[in-house]
Amino acid sequence: MSEIRVESYRVRRIGAHSHIRGLGLDENGRAIMVADGLVGQAEARQAAGIVVKMIKEGRISGRGILLVGPPGTGKTALAVAIARELGEDTPFVIMSGSEVYSSEKRKTEILMEAVRKALGVRLTERRLVYEGVVKNIVIRRAKHPLVPYLTVPREAKITLATRNEEVTLTVPEEVTQQIVELGVRKGDVIWIDAQTGRVHREGRVREFQDIKTYDVETRRIVETPSGPVKKEKEIVNVLTLHDLDMYVAAQRSLVSIFGFTMEREIPSEARKQVDETVRKWIEDKRAAIVPGVLFIDDAHMLDIEAFSFLTRAMESEFAPILILATNRGVARIRGTDMESPHGMPLDLLDRLLIIPTRPYSADEIREIIKIRAQEEEVELDSKALEKLVEIGSKYSLRYAVQLMEPARILAEQRGESKIHVEDVEEARKLFIDISTSVEYLREYEKLFLK
Ligand SMILES: Nc1ncnc2c1ncn2[C@@H]1O[C@H](COP(=O)(O)OP(=O)(O)OP(=O)(O)O)[C@@H](O)[C@H]1O
Ligand SMILES: [Mg+2]
């Protein structure tokens, strides 16, 4: 049985930006100095808020955004904040410009996949499901067939309850696996498709909400369903065009039997077929396109071929919103001898709204370092904090942030739980910043291999 999973486009968790919860704007769309994990950069945040609004109102397709600014000024952080603001129902694809260079796939194929992952299709259908609050769940594990010391989930016994009824189901391996992957716990409201076995978690009921967990993800609070556990339900699925491509391609190729479909390029007829089907669904009012965001970080790494592809993609019928970020000024466009602002062709630049990010003041750096320290659960004494602020102002914010973890380990080695200024200084000697490393190489050039 082929499975399409709904949540395939979930935002990838990025360690360095895990403290960011949103754009931190007030009801008038102005940046609150410190909010949602973001500090300062008020104008860029306000601009990003407008972009979020345009995306939510569907008024931006065929256009794009370019975030420009020096290294460590929060471009990637802003893109992550935009993703958080848009929420789970808007596909958001994050990639780096350098990801288009792969030995297995063509550049345009990689970009095409990314574009299609950033396009959601909202499908409405009636399905027969088992729905209820998870009252109990017992997972039976069995030995892994190849690796003797591993076990795999084989079967689960799960009790679902509504206000009126309680039913215990024994579900097979595919369903059990989804239950494990989704981290379904007692108190979650889920439904299981009676025919395909797809599992969906809707949220948690309130009574279970105060149980303390270390789950960063806040789950939606939902009501306990009423009526029978087994019932017809109108289900709204947001799949991506890429999910559908994979589904169609998998049915067509032998390769899918061995589970290698991920590695293969998707044949263009599969995409054509998907587009036609989706167009028909839209005509029948069974589906709607949800334009998501394709965010390409370090966009100066793209080359002319990639840029032309993106320019064309933005003009096609189904186009995602493109957000690019770069820290380059005038630079050569890769794959050409031409120089251009931000190393990008002018016809693409013409279609982009540009948001600048500016270097931080010492006060802003101090706030960001404090937030990061909290996030990484490290304790800084006040002198250590000031040292990091100084390093952040003189070299880069990223460098200061990166020194925190080594400094914590150095403190630990001294038997201290708090980072002192000497730990920061030692960490800085052990791990040098870029300009020092360039100087170092220049000094010792003759001794290095050429
Ligand atoms: N305004 C801010 N508030 C809170 N944290 C921030 C802010 N700006 C940046 N940071 C954090 O500082 C670090 C560096 O910022 P980020 O990676 O976003 O910079 P960048 O502009 O993308 O740099 P580069 O050009 O090198 O890619 C990250 O950990 C980021 O989350
Ligand atoms: Mg960045």
Side-chain angles (χ1 to χ4, degrees):
M1 187 183 0
S2 292
E3 272 300 323
I4 301 186
R5 281 207 288 118
V6 211
E7 295 179 287
S8 56
Y9 55 73
R10 278 270 213 81
V11 180
R12 193 156 41 114
R13 206 168 285 292
I14 301 171
H17 309 287
S18 57
H19 60 291
I20 292 159
R21 316 254 176 267
L23 284 167
L25 303 175
D26 67 14
E27 60 276 18
N28 301 318
R30 310 238 165 224
I32 302 165
M33 238 345 145
V34 183
D36 284 349
L38 281 183
V39 178
Q41 210 61 267
E43 282 164 359
R45 281 161 65 195
Q46 191 182 348
I50 293 172
V51 170
V52 167
K53 222 167 178 177
M54 287 161 78
I55 295 173
K56 282 190 171 162
E57 290 172 7
R59 305 179 83 118
I60 196 175
S61 71
R63 263 182 292 178
I65 304 294
L66 175 61
L67 295 162
V68 299
T73 50
K75 298 179 293 297
T76 308
L78 271 180
V80 171
I82 292 175
R84 298 262 186 275
E85 292 285 341
L86 287 171
E88 278 196 13
D89 293 335
T90 309
F92 199 102
V93 177
I94 296 182
M95 65 182 284
S96 156
S98 55
E99 277 174 53
V100 301
Y101 306 101
S102 141
S103 52
E104 275 112 52
K105 284 182 185 171
R106 282 173 303 135
K107 260 175 270 178
T108 50
E109 172 64 21
I110 292 168
L111 287 170
M112 181 61 109
E113 260 184 49
V115 163
R116 292 179 75 86
K117 278 181 188 162
L119 283 162
V121 184
R122 185 182 287 119
L123 267 169
T124 321
E125 53 178 345
R126 293 195 74 79
R127 307 281 310 174
L128 201 57
V129 298
Y130 297 95
E131 183 190 44
V133 185
V134 177
K135 276 280 144 85
N136 199 22
I137 182 164
V138 181
I139 291 170
R140 197 172 65 76
R141 303 182 73 91
K143 276 220 172 72
H144 189 282
L146 303 174
V147 192
Y149 51 84
L150 281 185
T151 62
V152 286
R154 238 328 114 63
E155 199 179 79
K157 215 178 213 159
I158 186 161
T159 306
L160 294 178
T162 65
R163 287 184 198 286
N164 313 87
E165 173 176 57
E166 205 169 288
V167 172
T168 301
L169 306 164
T170 304
V171 296
E173 190 169 341
E174 300 93 55
V175 178
T176 309
Q177 254 162 21
Q178 295 174 65
I179 288 173
V180 172
E181 268 173 38
L182 290 170
V184 171
R185 294 179 285 139
K186 274 188 214 176
D188 284 347
V189 175
I190 65 166
W191 53 252
I192 304 172
D193 190 305
Q195 276 133 30
T196 64
R198 201 184 91 208
V199 181
H200 179 73
R201 190 180 59 211
E202 291 170 86
R204 274 181 90 63
V205 288
R206 183 160 288 112
E207 303 86 88
F208 283 85
Q209 200 52 35
D210 7 283
I211 296 177
K212 195 166 164 44
T213 59
Y214 294 96
D215 205 348
V216 244
E217 234 168 343
T218 45
R219 291 184 187 180
R220 214 176 300 185
I221 296 178
V222 293
E223 294 294 314
T224 304
S226 47
V229 167
K230 188 173 184 179
K231 65 180 142 213
E232 267 216 345
K233 188 179 168 67
E234 180 149 295
I235 287 171
V236 179
N237 280 327
V238 183
L239 300 166
T240 68
L241 285 182
H242 178 70
D243 293 332
L244 295 170
D245 293 345
M246 295 273 289
Y247 191 64
V248 172
Q251 284 175 333
R252 291 175 157 222
S253 71
L254 275 178
V255 190
S256 65
I257 295 173
F258 305 103
F260 293 146
T261 46
M262 303 293 285
E263 306 302 323
R264 255 175 110 255
E265 293 197 356
I266 290 167
S268 61
E269 319 90 72
R271 290 203 172 108
K272 259 190 218 132
Q273 194 185 324
V274 167
D275 286 354
E276 269 164 36
T277 313
V278 169
R279 238 175 257 129
K280 218 178 293 149
W281 286 343
I282 295 173
E283 270 169 34
D284 298 346
K285 305 226 179 327
R286 287 179 56 206
I289 288 281
V290 187
V293 174
L294 170 56
F295 171 54
I296 307 182
D297 210 351
D298 300 319
H300 50 264
M301 292 297 293
L302 298 171
D303 67 0
I304 188 72
E305 196 189 341
F307 285 126
S308 338
F309 176 90
L310 289 172
T311 311
R312 248 179 298 127
M314 283 169 77
E315 273 163 10
S316 65
E317 180 188 359
F318 302 143
I321 296 122
L322 187 64
I323 301 185
L324 305 175
T326 182
N327 57 22
R328 300 299 149 93
V330 173
R332 194 172 58 83
I333 305 172
R334 279 183 159 238
T336 72
D337 299 324
M338 276 181 300
E339 295 234 312
S340 180
H342 312 301
M344 289 176 200
L346 289 170
D347 55 344
L348 176 61
L349 278 173
D350 255 359
R351 291 174 167 76
L352 304 174
L353 287 168
I354 301 178
I355 302 178
T357 56
R358 300 189 172 84
Y360 293 113
S361 68
D363 286 340
E364 288 165 331
I365 290 177
R366 183 175 304 108
E367 284 307 315
I368 295 173
I369 289 174
K370 278 204 241 164
I371 292 174
R372 281 307 301 176
Q374 214 172 15
E375 185 71 19
E376 294 180 27
E377 295 180 346
V378 303
E379 267 188 274
L380 296 164
D381 78 0
S382 60
K383 278 199 192 135
L385 174 64
E386 286 319 306
K387 191 82 215 168
L388 284 173
V389 172
E390 187 195 311
I391 292 169
S393 315
K394 191 161 168 209
Y395 303 99
S396 82
L397 171 61
R398 166 113 26 78
Y399 179 51
V401 167
Q402 278 172 346
L403 283 181
M404 227 151 24
E405 187 57 24
R408 187 193 62 79
I409 291 172
L410 288 167
E412 201 177 78
Q413 286 170 350
R414 288 190 306 114
E416 288 264 358
S417 61
K418 219 176 203 172
I419 298 173
H420 291 225
V421 68
E422 64 240 50
D423 302 315
V424 176
E425 267 159 5
E426 197 176 346
R428 189 174 140 199
K429 263 185 235 137
L430 296 173
F431 303 98
I432 55 179
D433 69 290
I434 299 168
S435 52
T436 314
S437 94
V438 170
E439 239 170 73
Y440 170 76
L441 289 186
R442 201 170 289 137
E443 206 173 309
Y444 291 100
E445 215 151 46
K446 291 175 217 86
L447 299 177
F448 278 97
L449 287 176
K450 285 269 165 65

